[in-house]
Amino acid sequence: MKIYDISQEVFSCVVFPGDPAPKKNTVCSIDSGAVCNLTEFSMCAHNGTHIDAPYHFLNDGKSVDEIPLEKFTGYAFVADHEGLVSAEDAENILKKAAAANRESVKRILIKGKSTVSESAARVFAKEKIFLLGNESQTVGPKDAPMAVHKILLGEEMVLLEGIRLEHVPEGAYVLNAAPLCLSGADGAPCRAILIDLEN
């Protein structure tokens, strides 16, 4: 069994333009005479590796704490792709996932510098997959992310953004990307890992 950590380190993570960055504060320090080390931190729910809940773009959508954990955990397929993901690309990714492991079709992770198009989003939405992940801080175009998000989140799909897949070969894995349980939140950070059961 081999485990891939596909998460960003929080305090040095990539931040979407305009979002507040993570901040760390040392409250207590053994070096300063305290009985223990104690860290306080603040961050945006969408910093680094994180999930988007439907509530992020849909006011009546489910918040983080309302999403079943099975959406974040289970078989997933890592697909190599660079550039814009078209409808045809999305269909091909789903076919490859089904061939690798039928259960991995439920969770698709796109490796590479890619942007999901509206037409591709409709393909994934029609398939009613549980989760779609990518390496960018947003699954849609950075200058106009709303349309793609609404298509995907409208089907109660979870978006896993800001993952790191450069060392992960294309194929089927077991994913665990359970987010922090933030009641009423539109997103949450997570420590995402992939497990290769064959190695």
Side-chain angles (χ1 to χ4, degrees):
M1 180 177 75
K2 182 170 183 177
I3 298 176
Y4 293 93
D5 185 351
I6 60 170
S7 306
Q8 298 180 55
E9 190 281 321
V10 171
F11 297 115
S12 62
C13 72
V14 177
V15 176
F16 189 81
D19 286 355
K23 293 180 182 177
K24 178 182 178 183
N25 177 43
T26 301
V27 178
C28 297
S29 168
I30 294 172
D31 288 342
S32 299
V35 70
C36 66
N37 294 313
L38 184 65
T39 301
E40 172 187 65
F41 68 94
S42 64
M43 65 184 295
C44 172
H46 300 268
N47 288 158
T49 304
H50 67 279
I51 66 99
D52 285 0
Y55 182 56
H56 186 35
F57 275 87
L58 304 168
N59 214 30
D60 59 350
K62 288 184 177 178
S63 57
V64 172
D65 55 307
E66 296 173 319
I67 301 170
L69 285 174
E70 67 200 41
K71 294 212 173 184
F72 309 105
T73 306
Y75 281 101
F77 186 77
V78 174
D80 281 310
H81 189 85
E82 294 288 332
L84 190 69
V85 181
S86 67
E88 183 179 0
D89 295 327
E91 288 166 357
N92 288 335
I93 288 169
L94 292 171
K95 285 176 186 174
K96 284 196 287 186
N101 178 308
R102 184 59 203 167
E103 286 296 304
S104 72
V105 175
K106 293 179 180 176
R107 300 167 195 87
I108 300 294
L109 307 180
I110 302 174
K111 174 183 176 178
K113 293 181 180 178
S114 63
T115 301
V116 176
S117 67
E118 289 183 44
S119 60
R122 289 189 190 94
V123 170
F124 291 128
K126 184 178 179 183
E127 186 68 23
K128 295 191 181 295
I129 67 174
F130 289 169
L131 177 147
L132 181 65
N134 70 320
E135 297 202 67
S136 172
Q137 290 306 115
T138 182
V139 72
K142 285 184 180 178
D143 57 346
M146 185 172 69
V148 169
H149 276 78
K150 282 194 166 184
I151 292 167
L152 299 171
L153 297 174
E155 290 297 329
E156 296 196 344
M157 194 182 305
V158 172
L159 303 181
L160 175 59
E161 297 173 329
I163 52 178
R164 293 295 176 258
L165 298 168
E166 58 267 28
H167 301 301
V168 183
E170 184 172 85
Y173 300 86
V174 173
L175 170 71
N176 182 357
L180 293 179
C181 188
L182 303 180
S183 178
D186 49 273
C190 66
R191 181 74 178 267
I193 63 168
L194 287 172
I195 302 171
D196 183 351
L197 298 175
E198 303 298 320
N199 292 307

